[in-house]
Amino acid sequence: MKTKICIYFLLLTSYFLLSTCRPNLKNPEPSSGDADFSKFIALGGSFIAGYQDGALYKDGQQYSLAYQLAKYIHLAGGPAEFVQPFMPDNSGLGLNPKSWESDFETSSKLRFKADCKGVSSLFPIKDDFNISSAGIYLQHQSGNFQNFGVPFAKISDYTNSSLGNSGNSNPYYARFASSAGVSTMLSDAKAQQPTFFALWAGMEDVYDYVSHGAYSTTILSPSSFYTKLDSVLSQLPSQGVIANIPDFTSFPFYTTIPWDGLELTRNLKDSLNMLYFGDSLYSGSTAFQIGKNGFMIEDPASTAPPPGYRKMRNGDYILLSVPIDSMKCNFLGAFTPMPDQYVLDTSEVKVVNQIIADYNNVITVMAQKYKLALVDMNAYFKKVQTGIKWDGEDFNAEFVSGGFFSLDGYHPNQKGYVLVANEFIRAINSKYNATVPWVNCPECSGIKFP
């Protein structure tokens, strides 16, 4: 009997010890900490708006960066409602970068397509349409919106009342401006009397320049960016989060097509050497060789033969907007030099890198001046480039297969926006001693395969 009592006592003691040592797996209670989330708004360009797959469309907006932030900030004391000016469908409205072909284009879908050689493969497919067919997407909406993300809006556009007029080359703000030709993105944002904001400024200023290959395009000077950002922040609430600008090499739009992807046979090599150097057997340092070669590009600064043109070299980049079929079948980049607007050459790369560094320095200074949370998107996008894991999935910056970027090679897909939103939340929690939960979005999609 004593033995049974001892065994029972030992079991009871063991149970008590194990139960008291059990780890507490309960998630921490959401908290606003030192922040006032009672009225949250978001301001910026295409990343704030949820632009992806080359267009602004309803599903993208429903899982935009701004919406994901608002949804989880709500759990820590933010407003229950976050109103956005939704597109009517998932075809959407995208600005066609090749404006000579059409005004607009639909969102891209991954479909099988036969190239100029008759080879069928998966490719982003979209439809072009002109302003005469865009009525449903340009209809004005009224409401107390909290997402003031306007695709392609540069920082000077935030205070530009004419942006709200219909017929602009940028049609997005006119869709929901409170007063056409009078209100501005910033004045409408202020009218909401926000207590907390998310801002991602400067992306459109930099990447309008970069996405055109620095061709026939100017960029706002860092000193002017400083002045304009300072003016915007002085009119926003005292609490918020601001993000800096990623390096252009973090985006597959600039890194997918290799600079030395020109494969030549002996006959093609001889023909190109004869065309450009007048000697099929030319063997100088710029000569074409059998096998891999740099593509031929326009370069007005090049004085070496042939003047005005040169072979690409390591450190030059081809943009994803280049006509791929023309490269495959019409020898674009070989017998016809690649136009400057499809290339970032080494001298342009140097300018872009310096501009991004200068803009990021301005953003850091402003975050310190206004005591804002700062999201280092430059560092984070570099992590994505090398590869990260989230929720059991691997993500990297490979075009289509990487899982992070959408089919335009520049904007994230829905899952990518979730990851970006979590970086914003990390910065907010750190700065304001808050406990905003991490975004968890199992229904968010990546690239949809047919």
Side-chain angles (χ1 to χ4, degrees):
M1 184 67 178
K2 289 184 179 180
T3 303
K4 288 184 178 180
I5 293 174
C6 288
I7 293 173
Y8 176 77
F9 178 76
L10 287 172
L11 289 173
L12 187 64
T13 304
S14 299
Y15 174 79
F16 175 76
L17 290 173
L18 288 172
S19 63
T20 55
C21 293
R22 188 177 301 159
N24 182 8
L25 300 178
K26 186 178 179 181
N27 290 326
E29 285 293 322
S31 166
S32 61
D34 302 324
D36 180 359
F37 293 139
S38 57
K39 193 58 179 291
F40 170 71
I41 60 106
L43 177 65
S46 55
F47 279 69
I48 292 291
Y51 200 96
Q52 58 191 276
D53 298 319
L56 188 67
Y57 60 94
K58 193 170 184 179
D59 272 359
Q61 292 174 285
Q62 286 178 327
Y63 298 102
S64 66
L65 167 60
Y67 173 79
Q68 299 290 0
L69 285 174
K71 181 179 179 180
Y72 284 81
I73 282 175
H74 161 62
L75 300 177
E81 189 176 41
F82 186 76
V83 185
Q84 303 187 87
F86 282 118
M87 281 288 169
D89 59 29
N90 288 326
S91 290
L93 183 75
L95 290 188
N96 191 344
K98 300 175 183 178
S99 56
W100 58 90
E101 295 179 350
S102 70
D103 299 311
F104 305 118
E105 57 189 17
T106 64
S107 60
S108 296
K109 305 287 191 262
L110 201 60
R111 298 288 184 267
F112 283 96
K113 176 188 176 182
D115 65 12
C116 56
K117 295 183 177 181
V119 178
S120 183
S121 60
L122 285 172
F123 197 82
I125 304 296
K126 55 197 171 188
D127 295 321
D128 297 339
F129 59 102
N130 287 312
I131 194 168
S132 58
S133 304
I136 189 174
Y137 302 106
L138 302 178
Q139 290 178 353
H140 184 266
Q141 300 182 37
S142 299
N144 291 317
F145 300 112
Q146 283 93 54
N147 188 350
F148 298 96
V150 176
F152 308 108
K154 299 178 181 179
I155 195 165
S156 58
D157 291 322
Y158 295 9
T159 54
N160 179 10
S161 60
S162 67
L163 191 68
N165 290 325
S166 60
N168 277 309
S169 57
N170 183 334
Y172 296 102
Y173 176 57
R175 294 179 58 249
F176 68 98
S178 64
S179 180
V182 177
S183 65
T184 67
M185 291 170 57
L186 183 59
S187 70
D188 278 352
K190 288 169 58 181
Q192 291 297 311
Q193 298 182 319
T195 61
F196 197 92
F197 68 90
L199 173 66
W200 201 347
M203 290 288 287
E204 275 65 25
D205 293 88
V206 170
Y207 282 99
D208 176 64
Y209 181 79
V210 183
S211 66
H212 288 89
Y215 175 77
S216 191
T217 310
T218 59
I219 188 169
L220 189 70
S221 70
S223 60
S224 294
F225 179 66
Y226 180 103
T227 301
K228 291 183 181 298
L229 182 58
D230 192 24
S231 176
V232 169
L233 290 173
S234 69
Q235 300 177 64
L236 290 174
S238 60
Q239 293 186 336
V241 59
I242 187 171
N244 67 11
I245 299 170
D247 186 272
F248 81 93
T249 59
S250 297
F251 300 96
F253 187 86
Y254 305 98
T255 59
T256 297
I257 302 174
W259 65 272
D260 60 348
L262 180 59
E263 294 272 358
L264 297 178
T265 62
R266 179 179 297 278
N267 287 340
L268 286 174
K269 179 267 296 185
D270 290 345
S271 296
L272 287 171
N273 281 335
M274 177 61 74
L275 174 65
Y276 288 110
F277 307 113
D279 183 357
S280 63
L281 301 179
Y282 179 66
S283 59
S285 60
T286 57
F288 289 95
Q289 309 291 334
I290 297 172
K292 285 189 174 184
N293 291 262
F295 289 98
M296 204 69 179
I297 61 172
E298 292 180 353
D299 184 355
S302 176
T303 57
Y309 307 100
R310 66 170 175 84
K311 286 174 65 179
M312 292 189 76
R313 49 182 177 257
N314 193 14
D316 296 324
Y317 295 85
I318 301 173
L319 280 54
L320 203 55
S321 54
V322 68
I324 301 294
D325 272 1
S326 294
M327 294 177 69
K328 289 181 178 179
C329 297
N330 298 328
F331 294 103
L332 180 67
F335 292 102
T336 303
M338 198 173 293
D340 191 27
Q341 64 261 38
Y342 300 124
V343 176
L344 272 177
D345 64 39
T346 49
S347 61
E348 293 163 342
V349 166
K350 185 177 181 180
V351 171
V352 169
N353 287 340
Q354 187 61 57
I355 284 288
I356 292 175
D358 290 343
Y359 271 41
N360 282 346
N361 182 60
V362 168
I363 292 167
T364 299
V365 169
M366 289 297 156
Q368 293 169 348
K369 177 178 179 179
Y370 289 94
K371 299 180 174 58
L372 304 172
L374 174 63
V375 192
D376 192 351
M377 284 286 96
N378 189 22
Y380 184 70
F381 271 59
K382 288 177 181 176
K383 289 181 181 178
V384 173
Q385 190 176 18
T386 57
I388 60 174
K389 186 179 287 289
W390 175 74
D391 199 25
E393 291 187 59
D394 293 314
F395 294 87
N396 60 52
E398 289 295 316
F399 185 52
V400 179
S401 63
F404 182 88
F405 287 99
S406 69
L407 292 173
D408 60 28
Y410 174 66
H411 300 92
N413 57 37
Q414 291 177 20
K415 290 185 177 181
Y417 276 127
V418 166
L419 296 171
V420 171
N422 280 332
E423 291 306 301
F424 273 71
I425 289 171
R426 188 190 306 277
I428 291 169
N429 286 346
S430 175
K431 177 67 177 178
Y432 296 102
N433 300 309
T435 312
V436 179
W438 302 119
V439 177
N440 182 26
C441 187
E443 71 275 19
C444 286
S445 63
I447 301 294
K448 295 181 180 179
F449 286 79

